[in-house]
Amino acid sequence: MTDRTVIDAPSNLGLRPPAPGTVPGCYKLAGALRDQGIVARLGAADGGCVTPPRYDRTGWQEGDGVFNAAALAAYSLRLADRVGALLDDGRFPVVLGGDCSIDLGTALALARRGRHGMVYVDGHSDFRHPGNSTGVGAAGGEAAALVTGRGQDDLTDLEGRKPYILDSDLVVAGIRDYDDDLGELAELKIPAWTTTRLREAGEGAAGAILGHLGGARGFWVHLDVDALDPEVMPAVDSPDPGGLSHGELRDLLAPLLADPGCLGLTVAIFDPDLDEDGRHAAALTDTLVSCF
């Protein structure tokens, strides 16, 4: 048995519905990976489930800010408590989402313990906020902005800890070369490793990322599965071309997860509703296990 502990965080509160009257299917991510034996294959303890509130956008309209905000705030506090207890016990949490908004909880758990970093591996920068967009609403597409203190205080300033992650302690990796917010990230000096840049750097990418995080006490790795190319991972809500292969993702993640400063991992956005025969869940589980 290792120090790894798998926790389910099956929240879809941060995504728009895929069709009217439906809910996003990423809340099934944890179950699909458990069906592939991920807990045993990681040699992990089972940390159970942090059950989310109901997904309910009733009455929300464009311009109202982030939908499900009250539920997101309450859930983030509970998830932070669970993750924090594991960190205090010297465990390595592997948090199975859910959508990217669950990192409000993981980032809050880190902020309670001082200055920490985050490697945000994602096909998108998730940096939409009121300062650069009139389309704020889905926290899953705003998670990197929210954890760095951009957005409404009921999500960005829980317990008065805004920002949970400093700009200087955030690294974004796996985003597409055409991401809308590359310019803003550059202005803020937040390293943005596009797929092209990752390929050009090869094995040196992870080392450079770790070097940038040297000032933090430790760091968390966030993985949105849409960092993978839709040719190999179509079971996501925003399958944009130009992503990583499974091998490229493994080459990036394995050195990060092996570093003594890495405190935990979040896996988000995989949607089993788009994976009828389970082969993408199997491939994703294989990749995650190989990263350790």
Side-chain angles (χ1 to χ4, degrees):
M1 182 67 68
T2 69
D3 61 353
R4 298 169 202 140
T5 300
V6 172
I7 314 171
D8 296 1
S11 170
N12 58 5
L13 295 170
L15 290 185
R16 296 180 186 273
T22 66
V23 298
C26 65
Y27 73 93
K28 302 177 184 179
L29 180 158
L33 270 57
R34 283 176 176 268
D35 283 347
Q36 298 296 326
I38 191 169
V39 178
R41 292 174 66 187
L42 288 176
D46 191 338
C49 178
V50 183
T51 305
R54 180 190 298 273
Y55 183 97
D56 184 3
R57 301 200 315 159
T58 302
W60 180 86
Q61 299 179 10
E62 295 288 345
D64 287 348
V66 175
F67 55 76
N68 289 327
L72 280 163
Y75 188 68
S76 298
L77 291 166
R78 291 172 47 225
L79 182 57
D81 289 344
R82 183 76 66 88
V83 169
L86 291 172
L87 292 174
D88 289 345
D89 200 32
R91 308 296 298 180
F92 185 102
V94 178
V95 183
L96 304 179
D99 71 71
C100 300
S101 68
I102 63 175
D103 273 321
L104 284 167
T106 60
L108 177 60
L110 297 178
R112 288 171 174 174
R113 287 153 181 79
R115 177 184 170 188
H116 291 83
M118 179 172 285
V119 184
Y120 201 85
V121 181
D122 198 303
H124 312 86
S125 60
D126 290 353
F127 214 70
R128 183 175 63 240
H129 58 85
N132 64 17
S133 175
T134 58
V136 167
E142 299 153 15
L146 290 166
V147 300
T148 54
R150 295 169 173 86
Q152 57 201 64
D153 282 348
D154 56 352
L155 295 176
T156 62
D157 199 26
L158 296 170
E159 301 177 343
R161 298 185 187 275
K162 179 179 180 177
Y164 315 129
I165 305 291
L166 298 173
D167 289 353
S168 58
D169 295 330
L170 177 70
V171 178
V172 178
I175 62 175
R176 306 306 193 251
D177 296 342
Y178 46 85
D179 191 279
D180 289 340
D181 296 318
L182 277 170
E184 184 174 4
L185 294 173
E187 290 176 3
L188 296 168
K189 296 183 171 55
I190 296 174
W193 289 79
T194 64
T195 51
T196 295
R197 186 182 177 193
L198 287 171
R199 289 183 180 124
E200 290 174 346
E203 294 180 358
I209 290 170
L210 291 169
H212 178 81
L213 295 171
R217 294 179 55 191
F219 64 91
W220 191 275
V221 175
H222 157 88
L223 171 62
D224 181 331
V225 176
D226 69 19
L228 290 163
D229 191 88
E231 288 292 324
V232 298
M233 179 50 69
V236 296
D237 68 318
S238 298
D240 293 330
L244 301 173
S245 69
H246 280 281
E248 289 169 330
L249 179 62
R250 181 169 55 250
D251 290 345
L252 173 63
L253 287 184
L256 298 177
L257 297 176
D259 189 85
C262 186
L263 300 177
L265 169 69
T266 297
V267 184
I269 291 299
F270 174 69
D271 188 343
D273 285 346
L274 305 176
D275 182 29
E276 292 184 2
D277 61 5
R279 61 191 175 97
H280 297 301
L284 176 59
T285 303
D286 288 347
T287 295
L288 292 171
V289 171
S290 71
C291 288
F292 287 94

